[in-house]
Amino acid sequence: MKILLVDECYPLNTRNTKLLNSLCLLYPNSEIHVITWDRAGDFNIDGVDNSNWKWHLYSRPAKYGNKLQKLAGLFGYRSFCKREVAAVEPNVVIASHWNNLLMLPRLDNDKQMLIYENLDAPTGPSFVRRILRRVEYSYMSKALTIHASRFYTAIYPSKYRQMVLENKPVFNTAPVDYSPQSPLRIAYLGNIRYIDILKNLADAVRGDNSFILSYHGGGPDYDCLREYVSGVSNISMTGPYKYEDIEQLYRNADVIWAAYPNRDFNVQYAISNKFHESLAYAIPAVYADKTRLGEYVSKSLLGCQVNPYSVEDIRSLLTELASDKGKLTHIHETLKKQYQNESSWDDDFDNLKKEIDAFFSH
């Protein structure tokens, strides 16, 4: 079986790497192909863990965050994708993100299975979303859609084939020992972006010796944020980290910051990787209010929610947590209990295998 993933960035995100690794385990005789855009021009096959995969790389500079450069290269990437898909003749095609649906040539729907991996719902003004939603639906009628968030099912018609496969950790783990400290240790892990909100978090604790704030990760706004917090005694930036190091980063935190811009339509329905990591390690996290995830964790006592655009609201919540650590300990215990009831990545992935097997058995 030939399995082809179409993405638009290199290196692949951890979810897509995990997805292909799981397919390799379940279909050991499969041939894995990856089409992606090496926008930074730093691909080196010797440094790739999955060098046995067949890589099809479109190389044209397009700095991350530069929409004009990306747009300028998009039509060339589309032609490249269509040509490479036709040459590979895959049995299974996985389009990661809705925009990669547009990169595909016409497929043989009887012999080629299309999987639409819905990582982020189309966002923007309502009229833009309506147009993009029509495009999505035209592909969903021929595809199996995998939602990266349980909350996405509420905004898509049930007539389409859909399943949920959230980005749960694949490693075996257990809740860490937890005893919130003074000063309260707050950690952000991930891509340094949404700079305004990360600045709000910094402003909420700046110079307050009740808190220690650590930003872990790199990204397009790393330099800007580093300059913004330069010289602040209780704020540090540690830079990029390896995914296998996250357990130690969680062990060194009392609270995880996972609040994203809730004015964005997608964020209102998305589920953060930090939610699943927070469950796995039983470390309380803070999420954006006015989102399905924020409402869920608040109602279930699995975390806290806050207005990420308000420095005063952030400061008020963190001050409350610092002065009432019993609330954090209670959330920790609730997280431990909930984690025992959660299905695993492998459990959920088995549903995808059933769909693939059913497609090729007809």
Side-chain angles (χ1 to χ4, degrees), residues 263-294:
R263 295 170 185 168
D264 182 281
F265 178 80
N266 175 65
V267 171
Q268 293 169 18
Y269 292 91
I271 194 162
S272 169
N273 293 344
K274 302 300 171 290
F275 169 73
H276 296 295
E277 294 164 3
S278 171
L279 267 178
Y281 297 117
I283 302 296
V286 175
Y287 305 91
D289 65 357
K290 299 179 181 178
T291 64
R292 294 296 181 93
L293 180 57

Side-chain angles (χ1 to χ4, degrees), residues 36 153 166 183 195 208 225 240 324 335:
T36 192
T153 57
E166 294 178 344
I195 185 64
D208 189 333
L225 184 61
D324 181 10
L335 286 165

Side-chain angles (χ1 to χ4, degrees), residues 133-301:
R133 187 56 51 81
R134 291 195 187 100
V135 173
E136 262 192 316
Y137 290 170
S138 68
Y139 285 94
M140 288 178 70
S141 63
K142 307 168 187 176
L144 167 66
T145 299
I146 301 176
H147 295 302
S149 168
R150 68 191 71 178
F151 304 118
Y152 287 155
T153 57
I155 56 176
Y156 289 92
S158 59
K159 65 181 180 180
Y160 299 120
R161 285 189 300 147
Q162 305 169 62
M163 59 172 286
V164 174
L165 181 65
E166 294 178 344
N167 196 23
K168 300 175 181 178
V170 293
F171 47 78
N172 294 322
T173 186
V176 301
D177 295 332
Y178 185 72
S179 179
Q181 298 184 11
S182 296
L184 193 70
R185 300 168 300 171
I186 306 160
Y188 171 83
L189 294 81
N191 203 16
I192 304 297
R193 55 177 180 164
Y194 306 129
I195 185 64
D196 290 344
I197 287 176
L198 294 182
K199 284 181 176 180
N200 287 345
L201 174 61
D203 289 343
V205 303
R206 181 185 294 268
D208 189 333
N209 59 13
S210 299
F211 308 102
I212 295 175
L213 170 61
S214 301
Y215 294 100
H216 306 294
D221 291 325
Y222 178 84
D223 290 338
C224 178
L225 184 61
R226 182 177 59 179
E227 181 179 351
Y228 191 73
V229 301
S230 176
V232 182
S233 60
N234 65 328
I235 301 178
S236 64
M237 297 186 67
T238 62
Y241 58 89
K242 294 180 180 179
Y243 188 69
E244 54 264 31
D245 295 334
I246 66 167
E247 179 173 344
Q248 190 57 45
L249 296 177
Y250 271 81
R251 285 183 179 277
N252 293 334
D254 302 312
V255 177
I256 300 297
W257 178 263
Y260 296 101
N262 57 11
R263 295 170 185 168
D264 182 281
F265 178 80
N266 175 65
V267 171
Q268 293 169 18
Y269 292 91
I271 194 162
S272 169
N273 293 344
K274 302 300 171 290
F275 169 73
H276 296 295
E277 294 164 3
S278 171
L279 267 178
Y281 297 117
I283 302 296
V286 175
Y287 305 91
D289 65 357
K290 299 179 181 178
T291 64
R292 294 296 181 93
L293 180 57
E295 293 167 359
Y296 172 70
V297 299
S298 181
K299 182 178 180 180
S300 306
L301 301 179

